[in-house]
Amino acid sequence: MAQLTCKNLTLGYNSKIVLENLNFEVNKGDYLCILGDNGSGKTTLMKTLLHLLKPISGSVTTGDGLLADEIGYLPQQTEVQRDFPASVWEIVLSGCQSRCGRRPFYNKEEKKLAKDVLEQLGILSLQKRCYRELSGGQQQRVLLARALCATQKMLLLDEPVTGLDPQATEEMYTLIKELNSKGITILMISHDVNAALKYASHVLHIGANTFFGDIKEYDKHFN
């Protein structure tokens, strides 16, 4: 059973159609790279998957033990966000908010999860540092840690290497692949076709020529 199924999706804003009749599904452990030109609807699709936008028609359903609120999200950063004056610990721990319910505080289990995730991503030593003092690569790891505190099942990543230097870019891609190899399903918006072919198991290419399939099929289709 698929973790995420999109059936006959038509997406857009204010009845203006951006994407039409989109069908694909994501299984546990998949690494799906979402490609397409600027304005093709990648961000609209991401917002729909996160239930921030309603589809004009069609459906988005979850299954295989994944609930609709168990999708972690790593958004693109703005300049304002890069200058956020909070500690690494505060930002990562805030990923546990959905686990708190009506509790106005974090419990021991949530604090342990945050610490474990910091250690997993190699940034435990940064927990007392101010976020805005970090490098771009370190900031992305912090935001990834925050997303992992929200869920250990599925991550949606929106251009996670934008603005990073080549070394930090390669480190981020390697880290995402390691998380995927441990069973976390990855959905990543990207403009980097080479990275998709190197790391992803499946590709969704949206636009005038929409395609969904595994890497081998994509390579045959577009090359």
Side-chain angles (χ1 to χ4, degrees), residues 31 121 141 144 160-161 166-182 186 188 195 198-199:
Y31 188 145
L121 299 190
R141 285 184 182 238
L144 187 57
V161 300
Q167 180 178 342
T169 294
E170 188 62 30
E171 289 174 354
M172 179 57 64
Y173 278 138
T174 299
L175 185 57
I176 293 167
K177 186 62 178 177
E178 288 175 357
L179 294 172
N180 177 244
S181 69
K182 294 177 181 177
I186 302 293
M188 181 177 73
K198 183 177 180 180
Y199 296 104

Short mmCIF file of all heavy atoms in Angstrom, two decimals, residues 31 121 141 144 160-161 166-182 186 188 195 198-199:
data_model
loop_
_atom_site.label_atom_id
_atom_site.label_comp_id
_atom_site.label_asym_id
_atom_site.label_seq_id
_atom_site.Cartn_x
_atom_site.Cartn_y
_atom_site.Cartn_z
N TYR A 31 12.54 7.58 -2.90
CA TYR A 31 13.21 8.88 -2.95
C TYR A 31 12.75 9.51 -4.26
O TYR A 31 13.25 9.22 -5.33
CB TYR A 31 14.72 8.67 -2.94
CG TYR A 31 15.57 9.92 -2.80
CD1 TYR A 31 16.76 9.87 -2.07
CD2 TYR A 31 15.24 11.13 -3.39
CE1 TYR A 31 17.58 10.98 -1.94
CE2 TYR A 31 16.03 12.25 -3.26
CZ TYR A 31 17.22 12.17 -2.53
OH TYR A 31 18.03 13.28 -2.41
N LEU A 121 22.57 14.07 13.02
CA LEU A 121 22.96 14.95 11.92
C LEU A 121 24.31 15.63 12.15
O LEU A 121 24.73 16.48 11.37
CB LEU A 121 21.89 16.01 11.67
CG LEU A 121 20.51 15.48 11.28
CD1 LEU A 121 19.61 16.63 10.83
CD2 LEU A 121 20.59 14.43 10.17
N ARG A 141 21.15 21.91 8.03
CA ARG A 141 21.12 20.74 8.91
C ARG A 141 20.20 20.97 10.10
O ARG A 141 19.48 20.06 10.54
CB ARG A 141 22.53 20.40 9.40
CG ARG A 141 23.40 19.73 8.35
CD ARG A 141 24.75 19.33 8.91
NE ARG A 141 25.58 18.74 7.87
CZ ARG A 141 26.10 17.52 7.93
NH1 ARG A 141 25.87 16.76 8.98
NH2 ARG A 141 26.85 17.05 6.95
N LEU A 144 16.72 20.64 8.85
CA LEU A 144 16.44 19.23 8.60
C LEU A 144 16.19 18.50 9.90
O LEU A 144 15.29 17.64 9.99
CB LEU A 144 17.62 18.61 7.85
CG LEU A 144 17.45 17.17 7.35
CD1 LEU A 144 16.25 17.03 6.43
CD2 LEU A 144 18.72 16.70 6.63
N PRO A 160 16.57 21.95 -1.15
CA PRO A 160 17.34 21.97 0.09
C PRO A 160 18.78 22.44 -0.02
O PRO A 160 19.42 22.69 1.01
CB PRO A 160 17.28 20.52 0.55
CG PRO A 160 17.12 19.73 -0.70
CD PRO A 160 16.24 20.58 -1.57
N VAL A 161 19.32 22.56 -1.24
CA VAL A 161 20.72 22.98 -1.37
C VAL A 161 20.87 24.38 -1.96
O VAL A 161 21.98 24.81 -2.27
CB VAL A 161 21.54 21.97 -2.20
CG1 VAL A 161 21.52 20.59 -1.55
CG2 VAL A 161 21.02 21.88 -3.63
N PRO A 166 29.57 24.19 -3.15
CA PRO A 166 29.62 22.81 -3.65
C PRO A 166 29.86 21.75 -2.58
O PRO A 166 29.23 20.69 -2.61
CB PRO A 166 30.78 22.86 -4.66
CG PRO A 166 30.77 24.27 -5.15
CD PRO A 166 30.40 25.10 -3.96
N GLN A 167 30.73 22.03 -1.61
CA GLN A 167 31.00 21.04 -0.57
C GLN A 167 29.78 20.83 0.33
O GLN A 167 29.40 19.70 0.62
CB GLN A 167 32.18 21.47 0.29
CG GLN A 167 32.52 20.46 1.40
CD GLN A 167 33.72 20.86 2.23
OE1 GLN A 167 34.52 21.68 1.81
NE2 GLN A 167 33.86 20.26 3.40
N ALA A 168 29.15 21.94 0.75
CA ALA A 168 27.96 21.84 1.59
C ALA A 168 26.81 21.18 0.84
O ALA A 168 26.02 20.43 1.41
CB ALA A 168 27.55 23.23 2.09
N THR A 169 26.73 21.44 -0.47
CA THR A 169 25.70 20.81 -1.31
C THR A 169 25.87 19.30 -1.32
O THR A 169 24.90 18.54 -1.11
CB THR A 169 25.78 21.35 -2.75
OG1 THR A 169 25.42 22.73 -2.74
CG2 THR A 169 24.84 20.59 -3.68
N GLU A 170 27.10 18.84 -1.55
CA GLU A 170 27.36 17.41 -1.59
C GLU A 170 27.10 16.77 -0.23
O GLU A 170 26.53 15.66 -0.14
CB GLU A 170 28.81 17.15 -2.01
CG GLU A 170 29.13 15.68 -2.26
CD GLU A 170 28.33 15.07 -3.39
OE1 GLU A 170 27.96 15.80 -4.34
OE2 GLU A 170 28.04 13.87 -3.33
N GLU A 171 27.46 17.45 0.85
CA GLU A 171 27.22 16.93 2.19
C GLU A 171 25.73 16.81 2.47
O GLU A 171 25.27 15.83 3.09
CB GLU A 171 27.89 17.83 3.23
CG GLU A 171 29.41 17.75 3.23
CD GLU A 171 30.05 18.77 4.16
OE1 GLU A 171 29.30 19.62 4.72
OE2 GLU A 171 31.28 18.72 4.34
N MET A 172 24.94 17.80 2.02
CA MET A 172 23.50 17.75 2.25
C MET A 172 22.86 16.62 1.47
O MET A 172 22.04 15.86 1.99
CB MET A 172 22.87 19.10 1.87
CG MET A 172 21.35 19.17 2.05
SD MET A 172 20.77 18.81 3.75
CE MET A 172 21.51 20.18 4.65
N TYR A 173 23.25 16.46 0.20
CA TYR A 173 22.72 15.35 -0.60
C TYR A 173 23.08 14.00 0.03
O TYR A 173 22.24 13.08 0.06
CB TYR A 173 23.26 15.42 -2.02
CG TYR A 173 22.54 16.37 -2.93
CD1 TYR A 173 23.25 17.19 -3.82
CD2 TYR A 173 21.15 16.46 -2.94
CE1 TYR A 173 22.59 18.07 -4.67
CE2 TYR A 173 20.48 17.34 -3.77
CZ TYR A 173 21.22 18.14 -4.64
OH TYR A 173 20.55 19.00 -5.49
N THR A 174 24.30 13.87 0.52
CA THR A 174 24.74 12.62 1.14
C THR A 174 23.92 12.34 2.40
O THR A 174 23.50 11.19 2.65
CB THR A 174 26.24 12.68 1.49
OG1 THR A 174 26.99 12.87 0.29
CG2 THR A 174 26.70 11.40 2.16
N LEU A 175 23.69 13.38 3.19
CA LEU A 175 22.91 13.23 4.42
C LEU A 175 21.48 12.81 4.13
O LEU A 175 20.93 11.91 4.78
CB LEU A 175 22.93 14.55 5.18
CG LEU A 175 22.28 14.58 6.56
CD1 LEU A 175 22.92 13.55 7.48
CD2 LEU A 175 22.42 15.98 7.17
N ILE A 176 20.87 13.43 3.11
CA ILE A 176 19.50 13.08 2.74
C ILE A 176 19.43 11.62 2.28
O ILE A 176 18.51 10.88 2.62
CB ILE A 176 18.97 14.03 1.65
CG1 ILE A 176 18.82 15.44 2.22
CG2 ILE A 176 17.63 13.54 1.09
CD1 ILE A 176 18.61 16.50 1.16
N LYS A 177 20.42 11.20 1.52
CA LYS A 177 20.46 9.82 1.03
C LYS A 177 20.62 8.84 2.19
O LYS A 177 20.00 7.76 2.20
CB LYS A 177 21.61 9.64 0.03
CG LYS A 177 21.63 8.26 -0.62
CD LYS A 177 20.37 7.98 -1.44
CE LYS A 177 20.42 6.64 -2.13
NZ LYS A 177 19.16 6.35 -2.87
N GLU A 178 21.42 9.20 3.19
CA GLU A 178 21.58 8.34 4.37
C GLU A 178 20.26 8.20 5.12
O GLU A 178 19.92 7.09 5.58
CB GLU A 178 22.66 8.93 5.29
CG GLU A 178 24.07 8.79 4.76
CD GLU A 178 25.08 9.50 5.63
OE1 GLU A 178 24.68 10.15 6.62
OE2 GLU A 178 26.29 9.40 5.32
N LEU A 179 19.52 9.28 5.26
CA LEU A 179 18.22 9.21 5.92
C LEU A 179 17.27 8.31 5.14
O LEU A 179 16.54 7.51 5.72
CB LEU A 179 17.61 10.61 6.05
CG LEU A 179 18.35 11.58 6.98
CD1 LEU A 179 17.75 12.98 6.87
CD2 LEU A 179 18.31 11.11 8.43
N ASN A 180 17.31 8.43 3.82
CA ASN A 180 16.48 7.59 2.97
C ASN A 180 16.85 6.12 3.13
O ASN A 180 15.98 5.24 3.17
CB ASN A 180 16.63 8.04 1.52
CG ASN A 180 15.85 7.17 0.55
OD1 ASN A 180 16.43 6.51 -0.30
ND2 ASN A 180 14.53 7.14 0.67
N SER A 181 18.14 5.83 3.23
CA SER A 181 18.60 4.44 3.35
C SER A 181 18.16 3.82 4.68
O SER A 181 18.13 2.60 4.81
CB SER A 181 20.13 4.37 3.22
OG SER A 181 20.77 4.96 4.34
N LYS A 182 17.80 4.68 5.65
CA LYS A 182 17.32 4.20 6.95
C LYS A 182 15.80 4.08 6.99
O LYS A 182 15.22 3.83 8.05
CB LYS A 182 17.81 5.14 8.06
CG LYS A 182 19.32 5.11 8.24
CD LYS A 182 19.79 6.10 9.29
CE LYS A 182 21.31 6.06 9.43
NZ LYS A 182 21.81 7.07 10.40
N ILE A 186 11.58 10.19 0.99
CA ILE A 186 12.00 11.54 0.63
C ILE A 186 11.22 12.01 -0.60
O ILE A 186 11.14 11.30 -1.61
CB ILE A 186 13.51 11.59 0.31
CG1 ILE A 186 14.35 11.11 1.50
CG2 ILE A 186 13.92 12.99 -0.14
CD1 ILE A 186 14.31 12.00 2.71
N MET A 188 11.60 15.45 -2.84
CA MET A 188 12.46 16.63 -2.94
C MET A 188 12.20 17.41 -4.21
O MET A 188 12.33 16.88 -5.31
CB MET A 188 13.94 16.22 -2.89
CG MET A 188 14.90 17.39 -2.97
SD MET A 188 16.64 16.87 -2.82
CE MET A 188 16.88 16.10 -4.43
N ALA A 195 21.49 15.60 -9.87
CA ALA A 195 21.31 15.07 -8.51
C ALA A 195 20.17 14.06 -8.48
O ALA A 195 20.25 13.04 -7.79
CB ALA A 195 21.04 16.21 -7.53
N LYS A 198 21.37 10.85 -9.77
CA LYS A 198 22.37 10.24 -8.90
C LYS A 198 21.76 9.65 -7.64
O LYS A 198 22.17 8.58 -7.19
CB LYS A 198 23.44 11.27 -8.54
CG LYS A 198 24.57 10.71 -7.68
CD LYS A 198 25.64 11.78 -7.44
CE LYS A 198 26.77 11.22 -6.57
NZ LYS A 198 27.82 12.25 -6.32
N TYR A 199 20.79 10.36 -7.05
CA TYR A 199 20.31 9.98 -5.72
C TYR A 199 18.90 9.39 -5.68
O TYR A 199 18.61 8.53 -4.86
CB TYR A 199 20.35 11.20 -4.78
CG TYR A 199 21.73 11.73 -4.54
CD1 TYR A 199 22.18 12.89 -5.15
CD2 TYR A 199 22.61 11.07 -3.69
CE1 TYR A 199 23.46 13.39 -4.92
CE2 TYR A 199 23.88 11.55 -3.45
CZ TYR A 199 24.30 12.71 -4.07
OH TYR A 199 25.57 13.18 -3.85
#
